[in-house]
Coordinates of all heavy atoms in Angstrom, one line a residue:
T1 N 23.8 -32.8 -7.8 CA 22.6 -32.1 -8.1 C 22.5 -30.8 -7.4 O 22.3 -29.7 -8.0 CB 21.4 -33.0 -7.7 OG1 21.5 -34.3 -8.4 CG2 20.1 -32.3 -8.1
G2 N 22.7 -30.8 -6.1 CA 22.7 -29.6 -5.3 C 23.7 -28.6 -5.7 O 23.4 -27.4 -5.9
S3 N 24.9 -29.0 -5.9 CA 26.0 -28.1 -6.3 C 25.8 -27.5 -7.7 O 26.1 -26.3 -8.0 CB 27.4 -28.7 -6.2 OG 27.4 -29.8 -7.1
T4 N 25.2 -28.3 -8.6 CA 25.0 -27.8 -10.0 C 23.9 -26.8 -10.0 O 24.0 -25.7 -10.6 CB 24.6 -29.0 -10.9 OG1 25.7 -29.9 -11.0 CG2 24.3 -28.5 -12.3
L5 N 22.8 -27.1 -9.3 CA 21.6 -26.2 -9.3 C 22.0 -24.8 -8.6 O 21.7 -23.8 -9.1 CB 20.4 -26.8 -8.5 CG 19.8 -28.0 -9.2 CD1 18.7 -28.6 -8.4 CD2 19.2 -27.6 -10.6
L6 N 22.7 -24.9 -7.5 CA 23.2 -23.7 -6.8 C 24.2 -23.0 -7.6 O 24.3 -21.8 -7.7 CB 23.8 -24.0 -5.4 CG 22.8 -24.0 -4.2 CD1 23.6 -24.2 -3.0 CD2 22.0 -22.7 -4.1
G7 N 25.1 -23.8 -8.3 CA 26.1 -23.2 -9.2 C 25.5 -22.3 -10.3 O 26.1 -21.3 -10.7
I8 N 24.4 -22.7 -10.8 CA 23.7 -21.9 -11.9 C 23.4 -20.5 -11.3 O 23.5 -19.5 -12.0 CB 22.5 -22.6 -12.4 CG1 22.9 -23.9 -13.1 CG2 21.7 -21.8 -13.3 CD1 21.7 -24.8 -13.5
L9 N 22.8 -20.5 -10.1 CA 22.5 -19.2 -9.5 C 23.7 -18.5 -9.1 O 23.8 -17.2 -9.2 CB 21.6 -19.5 -8.2 CG 20.2 -20.1 -8.5 CD1 19.6 -20.6 -7.2 CD2 19.3 -19.0 -9.2
E10 N 24.7 -19.1 -8.5 CA 25.9 -18.4 -8.0 C 26.7 -17.8 -9.1 O 27.4 -16.8 -8.9 CB 26.7 -19.4 -7.1 CG 26.1 -19.8 -5.8 CD 27.0 -20.6 -5.0 OE1 27.9 -21.3 -5.5 OE2 26.9 -20.5 -3.7
S11 N 26.7 -18.5 -10.3 CA 27.5 -18.0 -11.4 C 26.9 -16.7 -12.0 O 27.6 -16.1 -12.9 CB 27.6 -19.1 -12.5 OG 28.2 -20.2 -12.0
R12 N 25.7 -16.3 -11.6 CA 25.1 -15.1 -12.2 C 26.0 -13.8 -11.9 O 26.1 -13.0 -12.7 CB 23.7 -15.0 -11.6 CG 23.0 -13.7 -12.1 CD 22.5 -13.9 -13.5 NE 21.8 -12.7 -13.9 CZ 20.5 -12.5 -13.7 NH1 19.7 -13.4 -13.1 NH2 19.9 -11.4 -14.1
Y13 N 26.5 -13.8 -10.7 CA 27.3 -12.6 -10.3 C 28.7 -13.0 -9.8 O 28.8 -13.8 -8.9 CB 26.6 -11.8 -9.2 CG 25.3 -11.2 -9.7 CD1 24.0 -11.8 -9.3 CD2 25.2 -10.1 -10.5 CE1 22.8 -11.2 -9.7 CE2 24.0 -9.6 -11.0 CZ 22.9 -10.1 -10.6 OH 21.7 -9.6 -11.0
P14 N 29.7 -12.4 -10.3 CA 31.1 -12.8 -9.9 C 31.4 -12.1 -8.6 O 30.7 -11.2 -8.1 CB 32.0 -12.2 -11.0 CG 31.2 -11.0 -11.5 CD 29.7 -11.4 -11.4
P15 N 32.5 -12.5 -7.9 CA 32.9 -11.9 -6.7 C 33.1 -10.4 -6.9 O 33.6 -9.9 -7.9 CB 34.2 -12.6 -6.3 CG 34.1 -13.9 -7.0 CD 33.4 -13.7 -8.3
F16 N 32.7 -9.6 -5.9 CA 32.9 -8.1 -6.0 C 34.3 -7.8 -5.8 O 35.0 -8.3 -4.9 CB 32.0 -7.5 -4.9 CG 32.3 -6.0 -4.8 CD1 31.8 -5.1 -5.8 CD2 32.9 -5.4 -3.7 CE1 32.0 -3.8 -5.7 CE2 33.1 -4.1 -3.6 CZ 32.7 -3.2 -4.6
D17 N 34.8 -6.9 -6.7 CA 36.2 -6.5 -6.7 C 36.2 -5.0 -6.1 O 35.9 -4.1 -6.8 CB 36.8 -6.5 -8.1 CG 38.2 -6.1 -8.1 OD1 38.8 -5.9 -7.0 OD2 38.8 -5.9 -9.2
P18 N 36.6 -4.8 -4.9 CA 36.6 -3.5 -4.3 C 37.8 -2.6 -4.8 O 37.9 -1.5 -4.4 CB 36.8 -3.8 -2.8 CG 37.5 -5.1 -2.7 CD 37.0 -5.9 -3.9
G19 N 38.6 -3.2 -5.7 CA 39.7 -2.4 -6.2 C 39.4 -1.5 -7.4 O 40.2 -0.9 -8.0
R20 N 38.1 -1.5 -7.7 CA 37.6 -0.7 -8.9 C 37.4 0.8 -8.5 O 37.0 1.6 -9.4 CB 36.3 -1.3 -9.4 CG 36.6 -2.6 -10.1 CD 35.3 -3.2 -10.7 NE 34.5 -3.9 -9.6 CZ 33.4 -4.5 -9.8 NH1 32.9 -4.5 -11.0 NH2 32.8 -5.1 -8.8
G21 N 37.7 1.2 -7.3 CA 37.6 2.6 -6.9 C 36.2 3.1 -6.8 O 35.9 4.3 -6.9
Q22 N 35.2 2.2 -6.6 CA 33.8 2.6 -6.4 C 33.5 3.1 -5.0 O 34.2 2.7 -4.1 CB 32.9 1.4 -6.8 CG 33.0 1.0 -8.2 CD 32.2 -0.2 -8.5 OE1 32.5 -1.3 -8.0 NE2 31.1 -0.1 -9.3
H23 N 32.5 3.9 -4.9 CA 32.1 4.4 -3.6 C 30.5 4.5 -3.7 O 29.9 4.8 -4.7 CB 32.6 5.8 -3.3 CG 32.4 6.3 -1.9 ND1 33.2 5.8 -0.9 CD2 31.5 7.1 -1.4 CE1 32.7 6.3 0.3 NE2 31.7 7.1 0.0
F24 N 29.9 4.2 -2.5 CA 28.5 4.0 -2.5 C 27.9 4.9 -1.3 O 28.7 5.2 -0.4 CB 28.1 2.6 -2.3 CG 28.7 1.7 -3.3 CD1 29.9 1.1 -3.1 CD2 28.0 1.4 -4.5 CE1 30.5 0.2 -4.1 CE2 28.5 0.6 -5.5 CZ 29.8 0.0 -5.3
D25 N 26.6 5.2 -1.4 CA 26.0 5.9 -0.3 C 25.8 5.0 0.9 O 25.8 5.4 2.0 CB 24.6 6.4 -0.8 CG 24.8 7.5 -1.8 OD1 25.7 8.3 -1.8 OD2 23.9 7.5 -2.7
A26 N 25.6 3.7 0.6 CA 25.3 2.7 1.7 C 25.7 1.3 1.3 O 25.6 1.0 0.1 CB 23.9 2.8 2.2
I27 N 26.1 0.5 2.3 CA 26.2 -0.9 2.1 C 25.0 -1.6 2.7 O 24.8 -1.4 3.9 CB 27.5 -1.5 2.7 CG1 28.7 -0.8 2.1 CG2 27.6 -3.0 2.6 CD1 30.0 -1.1 2.8
V28 N 24.2 -2.3 2.0 CA 23.0 -2.9 2.5 C 23.2 -4.4 2.6 O 23.6 -5.1 1.7 CB 21.8 -2.7 1.5 CG1 20.6 -3.4 2.0 CG2 21.6 -1.2 1.4
V29 N 23.0 -4.9 3.9 CA 23.2 -6.4 4.2 C 21.8 -7.0 4.5 O 21.1 -6.5 5.4 CB 24.2 -6.5 5.4 CG1 24.4 -8.0 5.6 CG2 25.5 -5.9 5.1
L30 N 21.5 -8.1 3.8 CA 20.2 -8.7 4.1 C 20.4 -9.9 5.1 O 21.3 -10.7 4.9 CB 19.7 -9.3 2.7 CG 19.6 -8.3 1.6 CD1 18.8 -8.9 0.4 CD2 18.8 -7.0 2.0
G31 N 19.5 -9.9 6.0 CA 19.6 -11.0 7.0 C 19.2 -12.4 6.4 O 18.6 -12.5 5.4
G32 N 19.7 -13.4 7.1 CA 19.5 -14.8 6.6 C 19.0 -15.7 7.7 O 19.1 -16.9 7.5
G33 N 18.5 -15.2 8.8 CA 17.9 -16.1 9.8 C 18.5 -15.8 11.2 O 19.7 -15.3 11.3
I34 N 17.7 -16.1 12.2 CA 18.2 -15.9 13.6 C 17.6 -17.0 14.5 O 16.5 -17.5 14.2 CB 17.7 -14.5 14.1 CG1 18.3 -14.2 15.5 CG2 16.2 -14.3 14.2 CD1 18.2 -12.7 15.9
R35 N 18.3 -17.4 15.5 CA 17.8 -18.4 16.4 C 17.4 -17.7 17.7 O 18.2 -17.0 18.4 CB 18.9 -19.4 16.7 CG 19.5 -20.1 15.4 CD 20.6 -21.1 15.8 NE 21.2 -21.6 14.6 CZ 22.4 -21.3 14.2 NH1 23.1 -20.4 14.9 NH2 23.0 -21.8 13.1
A36 N 16.2 -18.0 18.1 CA 15.7 -17.4 19.3 C 16.2 -18.0 20.6 O 16.5 -19.2 20.6 CB 14.1 -17.4 19.4
K37 N 16.4 -17.2 21.7 CA 16.9 -17.8 22.9 C 15.9 -18.7 23.6 O 14.7 -18.7 23.3 CB 17.2 -16.6 23.9 CG 16.0 -15.8 24.3 CD 16.4 -14.7 25.2 CE 15.2 -13.8 25.6 NZ 15.7 -12.6 26.5
G38 N 16.4 -19.6 24.4 CA 15.5 -20.6 25.1 C 16.2 -21.1 26.4 O 17.2 -20.5 26.9
T39 N 15.7 -22.2 26.9 CA 16.3 -22.7 28.1 C 17.7 -23.3 27.9 O 18.5 -23.4 28.9 CB 15.4 -23.9 28.7 OG1 15.2 -24.9 27.6 CG2 14.0 -23.3 29.0
L40 N 18.1 -23.6 26.7 CA 19.5 -24.1 26.4 C 20.3 -23.0 25.8 O 21.5 -22.9 25.9 CB 19.5 -25.3 25.5 CG 18.9 -26.6 26.1 CD1 19.0 -27.7 25.1 CD2 19.8 -27.0 27.3
R41 N 19.6 -22.1 25.0 CA 20.3 -21.0 24.4 C 20.0 -19.7 25.1 O 18.9 -19.1 25.0 CB 19.8 -20.9 22.9 CG 20.6 -19.9 22.1 CD 20.1 -19.8 20.6 NE 20.2 -21.1 20.0 CZ 19.1 -21.7 19.4 NH1 17.9 -21.1 19.5 NH2 19.3 -22.8 18.8
P42 N 21.0 -19.1 25.9 CA 20.7 -18.0 26.8 C 20.4 -16.7 26.1 O 19.7 -15.8 26.7 CB 22.0 -17.9 27.6 CG 23.0 -18.5 26.8 CD 22.4 -19.6 26.0

């Protein structure tokens, strides 16, 4: 169930092929979460 539902979303865009000679003004990376420090995590 999980792999099929995610697969529908993941199949929307194929892997990026950098061999196509493309150039961009910027590469934009979106964050996906961070763990705050604490008494166990310095």
